[in-house]
Short mmCIF file of all heavy atoms in Angstrom, two decimals:
data_model
loop_
_atom_site.label_atom_id
_atom_site.label_comp_id
_atom_site.label_asym_id
_atom_site.label_seq_id
_atom_site.Cartn_x
_atom_site.Cartn_y
_atom_site.Cartn_z
N GLY T 1 136.12 -37.45 -159.76
CA GLY T 1 137.46 -37.97 -159.51
C GLY T 1 137.58 -38.47 -158.09
O GLY T 1 136.63 -38.48 -157.32
N ALA T 2 138.78 -38.88 -157.75
CA ALA T 2 139.04 -39.38 -156.41
C ALA T 2 138.88 -38.24 -155.41
O ALA T 2 139.17 -37.08 -155.68
CB ALA T 2 140.43 -39.96 -156.33
N SER T 3 138.39 -38.57 -154.24
CA SER T 3 138.21 -37.56 -153.20
C SER T 3 139.10 -37.87 -151.99
O SER T 3 139.69 -38.93 -151.90
CB SER T 3 136.74 -37.54 -152.76
OG SER T 3 136.39 -38.79 -152.20
N SER T 4 139.18 -36.91 -151.13
CA SER T 4 139.93 -37.12 -149.88
C SER T 4 139.04 -37.83 -148.88
O SER T 4 137.83 -37.70 -148.90
CB SER T 4 140.38 -35.77 -149.31
OG SER T 4 141.26 -35.13 -150.19
N ASP T 5 139.67 -38.56 -148.00
CA ASP T 5 138.89 -39.17 -146.92
C ASP T 5 139.48 -38.72 -145.59
O ASP T 5 140.30 -37.82 -145.52
CB ASP T 5 138.86 -40.69 -147.06
CG ASP T 5 140.24 -41.33 -147.07
OD1 ASP T 5 141.21 -40.61 -146.84
OD2 ASP T 5 140.34 -42.54 -147.34
N GLU T 6 139.04 -39.34 -144.51
CA GLU T 6 139.44 -38.91 -143.18
C GLU T 6 140.92 -39.09 -142.89
O GLU T 6 141.50 -38.36 -142.10
CB GLU T 6 138.61 -39.67 -142.13
CG GLU T 6 137.15 -39.39 -142.23
CD GLU T 6 136.33 -40.31 -141.34
OE1 GLU T 6 136.92 -41.17 -140.66
OE2 GLU T 6 135.10 -40.13 -141.31
N LYS T 7 141.56 -40.07 -143.52
CA LYS T 7 142.95 -40.39 -143.20
C LYS T 7 143.94 -39.80 -144.19
O LYS T 7 145.08 -39.55 -143.83
CB LYS T 7 143.12 -41.90 -143.12
CG LYS T 7 142.30 -42.52 -142.02
CD LYS T 7 142.48 -44.01 -141.97
CE LYS T 7 141.60 -44.57 -140.88
NZ LYS T 7 141.71 -46.00 -140.76
N THR T 8 143.54 -39.62 -145.43
CA THR T 8 144.48 -39.14 -146.43
C THR T 8 143.91 -37.95 -147.17
O THR T 8 142.69 -37.83 -147.36
CB THR T 8 144.80 -40.23 -147.47
OG1 THR T 8 143.61 -40.63 -148.12
CG2 THR T 8 145.48 -41.42 -146.82
N PHE T 9 144.81 -37.06 -147.60
CA PHE T 9 144.42 -35.90 -148.40
C PHE T 9 144.84 -36.13 -149.84
O PHE T 9 145.98 -36.52 -150.11
CB PHE T 9 145.09 -34.64 -147.86
CG PHE T 9 144.86 -33.43 -148.71
CD1 PHE T 9 143.62 -32.83 -148.75
CD2 PHE T 9 145.87 -32.93 -149.51
CE1 PHE T 9 143.41 -31.73 -149.53
CE2 PHE T 9 145.67 -31.82 -150.30
CZ PHE T 9 144.42 -31.23 -150.32
N ASN T 10 143.93 -35.93 -150.74
CA ASN T 10 144.21 -36.11 -152.16
C ASN T 10 144.26 -34.74 -152.81
O ASN T 10 143.24 -34.08 -152.96
CB ASN T 10 143.14 -36.98 -152.81
CG ASN T 10 143.47 -37.33 -154.23
OD1 ASN T 10 144.48 -36.89 -154.76
ND2 ASN T 10 142.62 -38.13 -154.85
N PRO T 11 145.45 -34.27 -153.24
CA PRO T 11 145.53 -32.95 -153.86
C PRO T 11 144.89 -32.86 -155.23
O PRO T 11 144.73 -31.76 -155.75
CB PRO T 11 147.04 -32.69 -153.94
CG PRO T 11 147.66 -34.04 -153.92
CD PRO T 11 146.76 -34.92 -153.11
N GLU T 12 144.47 -33.98 -155.81
CA GLU T 12 143.81 -33.97 -157.10
C GLU T 12 142.47 -33.27 -157.09
O GLU T 12 141.93 -32.92 -158.13
CB GLU T 12 143.64 -35.40 -157.63
CG GLU T 12 144.89 -36.00 -158.20
CD GLU T 12 145.33 -35.27 -159.46
OE1 GLU T 12 144.51 -35.04 -160.33
OE2 GLU T 12 146.53 -34.96 -159.54
N ILE T 13 141.89 -33.07 -155.89
CA ILE T 13 140.60 -32.39 -155.83
C ILE T 13 140.73 -30.94 -156.22
O ILE T 13 139.72 -30.28 -156.53
CB ILE T 13 139.94 -32.53 -154.44
CG1 ILE T 13 140.79 -31.89 -153.35
CG2 ILE T 13 139.66 -33.97 -154.11
CD1 ILE T 13 140.12 -31.84 -152.00
N PHE T 14 141.93 -30.40 -156.23
CA PHE T 14 142.16 -29.01 -156.62
C PHE T 14 142.85 -28.90 -157.97
O PHE T 14 143.51 -27.90 -158.25
CB PHE T 14 142.99 -28.29 -155.54
CG PHE T 14 142.30 -28.24 -154.21
CD1 PHE T 14 142.83 -28.92 -153.14
CD2 PHE T 14 141.13 -27.53 -154.05
CE1 PHE T 14 142.21 -28.88 -151.90
CE2 PHE T 14 140.49 -27.49 -152.82
CZ PHE T 14 141.04 -28.17 -151.75
N SER T 15 142.72 -29.89 -158.83
CA SER T 15 143.37 -29.85 -160.13
C SER T 15 142.68 -28.80 -161.01
O SER T 15 141.51 -28.46 -160.84
CB SER T 15 143.32 -31.20 -160.82
OG SER T 15 142.00 -31.52 -161.18
N ASP T 16 143.42 -28.28 -161.98
CA ASP T 16 142.89 -27.25 -162.87
C ASP T 16 141.71 -27.75 -163.69
O ASP T 16 140.77 -27.01 -163.96
CB ASP T 16 143.98 -26.73 -163.80
CG ASP T 16 144.99 -25.83 -163.10
OD1 ASP T 16 144.63 -25.27 -162.05
OD2 ASP T 16 146.11 -25.69 -163.62
N MET T 17 141.76 -29.02 -164.07
CA MET T 17 140.67 -29.56 -164.86
C MET T 17 139.37 -29.56 -164.07
O MET T 17 138.30 -29.23 -164.60
CB MET T 17 140.98 -30.97 -165.35
CG MET T 17 139.92 -31.51 -166.29
SD MET T 17 140.22 -33.17 -166.87
CE MET T 17 139.77 -34.11 -165.44
N ARG T 18 139.42 -29.93 -162.81
CA ARG T 18 138.21 -30.04 -162.00
C ARG T 18 137.69 -28.69 -161.53
O ARG T 18 136.50 -28.55 -161.29
CB ARG T 18 138.48 -30.94 -160.80
CG ARG T 18 138.69 -32.38 -161.22
CD ARG T 18 139.06 -33.25 -160.09
NE ARG T 18 137.90 -33.60 -159.28
CZ ARG T 18 137.97 -34.36 -158.22
NH1 ARG T 18 139.10 -34.86 -157.82
NH2 ARG T 18 136.88 -34.63 -157.54
N ILE T 19 138.56 -27.71 -161.40
CA ILE T 19 138.13 -26.40 -160.88
C ILE T 19 137.88 -25.39 -161.98
O ILE T 19 136.96 -24.56 -161.87
CB ILE T 19 139.19 -25.87 -159.89
CG1 ILE T 19 139.23 -26.74 -158.66
CG2 ILE T 19 138.88 -24.44 -159.50
CD1 ILE T 19 140.24 -26.32 -157.64
N LYS T 20 138.63 -25.43 -163.05
CA LYS T 20 138.51 -24.40 -164.09
C LYS T 20 137.91 -24.92 -165.38
O LYS T 20 136.97 -24.31 -165.91
CB LYS T 20 139.89 -23.80 -164.38
CG LYS T 20 140.50 -23.10 -163.20
CD LYS T 20 141.89 -22.61 -163.51
CE LYS T 20 142.53 -22.02 -162.26
NZ LYS T 20 143.92 -21.68 -162.48
N VAL T 21 138.45 -25.99 -165.92
CA VAL T 21 138.06 -26.43 -167.27
C VAL T 21 136.66 -27.04 -167.26
O VAL T 21 135.82 -26.68 -168.11
CB VAL T 21 139.09 -27.45 -167.82
CG1 VAL T 21 138.67 -27.97 -169.17
CG2 VAL T 21 140.46 -26.81 -167.89
N ALA T 22 136.37 -27.92 -166.34
CA ALA T 22 135.08 -28.61 -166.33
C ALA T 22 133.90 -27.65 -166.14
O ALA T 22 132.90 -27.77 -166.86
CB ALA T 22 135.07 -29.70 -165.26
N PRO T 23 133.95 -26.68 -165.23
CA PRO T 23 132.83 -25.73 -165.15
C PRO T 23 132.66 -24.89 -166.41
O PRO T 23 131.52 -24.57 -166.80
CB PRO T 23 133.19 -24.85 -163.96
CG PRO T 23 134.08 -25.67 -163.13
CD PRO T 23 134.87 -26.50 -164.09
N ILE T 24 133.74 -24.57 -167.08
CA ILE T 24 133.63 -23.81 -168.33
C ILE T 24 132.98 -24.67 -169.41
O ILE T 24 132.13 -24.19 -170.17
CB ILE T 24 135.01 -23.29 -168.78
CG1 ILE T 24 135.49 -22.22 -167.80
CG2 ILE T 24 134.97 -22.75 -170.20
CD1 ILE T 24 136.92 -21.77 -168.01
N VAL T 25 133.34 -25.95 -169.46
CA VAL T 25 132.71 -26.86 -170.42
C VAL T 25 131.22 -26.97 -170.14
O VAL T 25 130.39 -26.93 -171.06
CB VAL T 25 133.40 -28.25 -170.38
CG1 VAL T 25 132.62 -29.27 -171.20
CG2 VAL T 25 134.82 -28.15 -170.88
N CYS T 26 130.84 -27.07 -168.86
CA CYS T 26 129.41 -27.12 -168.50
C CYS T 26 128.70 -25.84 -168.90
O CYS T 26 127.58 -25.86 -169.43
CB CYS T 26 129.24 -27.37 -167.01
SG CYS T 26 129.65 -29.04 -166.50
N LEU T 27 129.33 -24.70 -168.65
CA LEU T 27 128.73 -23.42 -168.99
C LEU T 27 128.52 -23.31 -170.51
O LEU T 27 127.45 -22.88 -170.96
CB LEU T 27 129.61 -22.27 -168.51
CG LEU T 27 129.12 -20.86 -168.84
CD1 LEU T 27 127.81 -20.58 -168.11
CD2 LEU T 27 130.17 -19.84 -168.49
N VAL T 28 129.51 -23.72 -171.28
CA VAL T 28 129.37 -23.71 -172.75
C VAL T 28 128.23 -24.63 -173.17
O VAL T 28 127.44 -24.29 -174.06
CB VAL T 28 130.70 -24.12 -173.42
CG1 VAL T 28 130.52 -24.42 -174.89
CG2 VAL T 28 131.74 -23.04 -173.21
N GLY T 29 128.11 -25.78 -172.50
CA GLY T 29 127.02 -26.70 -172.83
C GLY T 29 125.66 -26.10 -172.53
O GLY T 29 124.73 -26.20 -173.33
N PHE T 30 125.52 -25.45 -171.36
CA PHE T 30 124.23 -24.84 -171.00
C PHE T 30 123.89 -23.68 -171.93
O PHE T 30 122.73 -23.51 -172.32
CB PHE T 30 124.24 -24.38 -169.55
CG PHE T 30 124.11 -25.50 -168.55
CD1 PHE T 30 125.06 -25.65 -167.56
CD2 PHE T 30 123.06 -26.37 -168.60
CE1 PHE T 30 124.95 -26.67 -166.64
CE2 PHE T 30 122.94 -27.41 -167.68
CZ PHE T 30 123.89 -27.56 -166.70
N LEU T 31 124.89 -22.89 -172.30
CA LEU T 31 124.64 -21.78 -173.22
C LEU T 31 124.25 -22.30 -174.61
O LEU T 31 123.39 -21.71 -175.27
CB LEU T 31 125.86 -20.87 -173.31
CG LEU T 31 126.18 -20.06 -172.05
CD1 LEU T 31 127.48 -19.28 -172.25
CD2 LEU T 31 125.05 -19.14 -171.70
N SER T 32 124.86 -23.39 -175.02
CA SER T 32 124.50 -23.95 -176.32
C SER T 32 123.12 -24.61 -176.29
O SER T 32 122.45 -24.66 -177.33
CB SER T 32 125.58 -24.91 -176.82
OG SER T 32 125.77 -25.96 -175.93
N VAL T 33 122.66 -25.07 -175.14
CA VAL T 33 121.28 -25.55 -175.02
C VAL T 33 120.32 -24.40 -175.28
O VAL T 33 119.34 -24.53 -176.01
CB VAL T 33 121.02 -26.18 -173.63
CG1 VAL T 33 119.53 -26.37 -173.40
CG2 VAL T 33 121.73 -27.50 -173.49
N ILE T 34 120.63 -23.24 -174.69
CA ILE T 34 119.79 -22.07 -174.91
C ILE T 34 119.79 -21.68 -176.39
O ILE T 34 118.74 -21.38 -176.96
CB ILE T 34 120.26 -20.90 -174.02
CG1 ILE T 34 120.03 -21.24 -172.55
CG2 ILE T 34 119.55 -19.61 -174.39
CD1 ILE T 34 120.66 -20.28 -171.59
N CYS T 35 120.94 -21.71 -177.01
CA CYS T 35 121.03 -21.41 -178.44
C CYS T 35 120.26 -22.43 -179.26
O CYS T 35 119.61 -22.07 -180.26
CB CYS T 35 122.48 -21.35 -178.91
SG CYS T 35 123.40 -19.98 -178.21
N GLY T 36 120.32 -23.69 -178.87
CA GLY T 36 119.58 -24.73 -179.58
C GLY T 36 118.07 -24.55 -179.45
O GLY T 36 117.32 -24.87 -180.37
N ILE T 37 117.63 -24.05 -178.31
CA ILE T 37 116.20 -23.80 -178.12
C ILE T 37 115.76 -22.59 -178.95
O ILE T 37 114.70 -22.59 -179.56
CB ILE T 37 115.90 -23.58 -176.63
CG1 ILE T 37 116.06 -24.89 -175.86
CG2 ILE T 37 114.48 -23.02 -176.43
CD1 ILE T 37 116.00 -24.76 -174.36
N MET T 38 116.58 -21.56 -178.98
CA MET T 38 116.20 -20.33 -179.64
C MET T 38 116.48 -20.33 -181.14
O MET T 38 116.02 -19.43 -181.84
CB MET T 38 116.92 -19.16 -178.99
CG MET T 38 116.51 -18.96 -177.55
SD MET T 38 117.24 -17.55 -176.81
CE MET T 38 116.44 -16.25 -177.71
N TYR T 39 117.18 -21.33 -181.65
CA TYR T 39 117.52 -21.39 -183.07
C TYR T 39 116.25 -21.51 -183.91
O TYR T 39 115.39 -22.34 -183.65
CB TYR T 39 118.45 -22.56 -183.37
CG TYR T 39 118.80 -22.71 -184.81
CD1 TYR T 39 119.72 -21.88 -185.42
CD2 TYR T 39 118.17 -23.67 -185.60
CE1 TYR T 39 120.04 -22.01 -186.76
CE2 TYR T 39 118.49 -23.83 -186.93
CZ TYR T 39 119.42 -22.97 -187.50
OH TYR T 39 119.73 -23.10 -188.83
N ARG T 40 116.14 -20.67 -184.93
CA ARG T 40 115.00 -20.72 -185.83
C ARG T 40 115.50 -20.95 -187.24
O ARG T 40 116.19 -20.08 -187.79
CB ARG T 40 114.21 -19.42 -185.76
CG ARG T 40 113.00 -19.43 -186.66
CD ARG T 40 112.20 -18.19 -186.54
NE ARG T 40 111.63 -18.12 -185.20
CZ ARG T 40 110.87 -17.14 -184.76
NH1 ARG T 40 110.61 -16.13 -185.55
NH2 ARG T 40 110.39 -17.15 -183.55
N PRO T 41 115.17 -22.09 -187.83
CA PRO T 41 115.64 -22.34 -189.20
C PRO T 41 114.97 -21.37 -190.18
O PRO T 41 113.85 -20.93 -189.96
CB PRO T 41 115.22 -23.78 -189.47
CG PRO T 41 114.32 -24.19 -188.38
CD PRO T 41 114.43 -23.19 -187.28
N LYS T 42 115.69 -21.09 -191.25
CA LYS T 42 115.15 -20.20 -192.27
C LYS T 42 114.04 -20.92 -193.05
O LYS T 42 114.16 -22.07 -193.40
CB LYS T 42 116.25 -19.78 -193.22
CG LYS T 42 117.33 -18.96 -192.54
CD LYS T 42 118.43 -18.60 -193.50
CE LYS T 42 119.50 -17.84 -192.78
NZ LYS T 42 120.64 -17.55 -193.62
N ASN T 43 112.98 -20.21 -193.30
CA ASN T 43 111.86 -20.78 -194.09
C ASN T 43 112.20 -20.74 -195.56
O ASN T 43 112.82 -19.80 -196.05
CB ASN T 43 110.58 -20.00 -193.83
CG ASN T 43 110.09 -20.15 -192.42
OD1 ASN T 43 110.36 -21.15 -191.78
ND2 ASN T 43 109.38 -19.16 -191.91
N LYS T 44 111.78 -21.75 -196.26
CA LYS T 44 112.05 -21.81 -197.70
C LYS T 44 110.96 -21.10 -198.47
O LYS T 44 109.85 -21.02 -198.15
CB LYS T 44 112.15 -23.26 -198.16
CG LYS T 44 113.36 -23.94 -197.58
CD LYS T 44 113.47 -25.34 -198.12
CE LYS T 44 114.73 -26.01 -197.58
NZ LYS T 44 114.88 -27.36 -198.04
#
């Protein structure tokens, strides 16, 4: 997202989506990668 620079402060850098939601989405993605690696299909 937009960042702050030397002259102006952008309060959007502390939005809930960027601080709370996005890291949780990344964590869920990384955990599901592990599950995808460890998944073993049933043999017929």
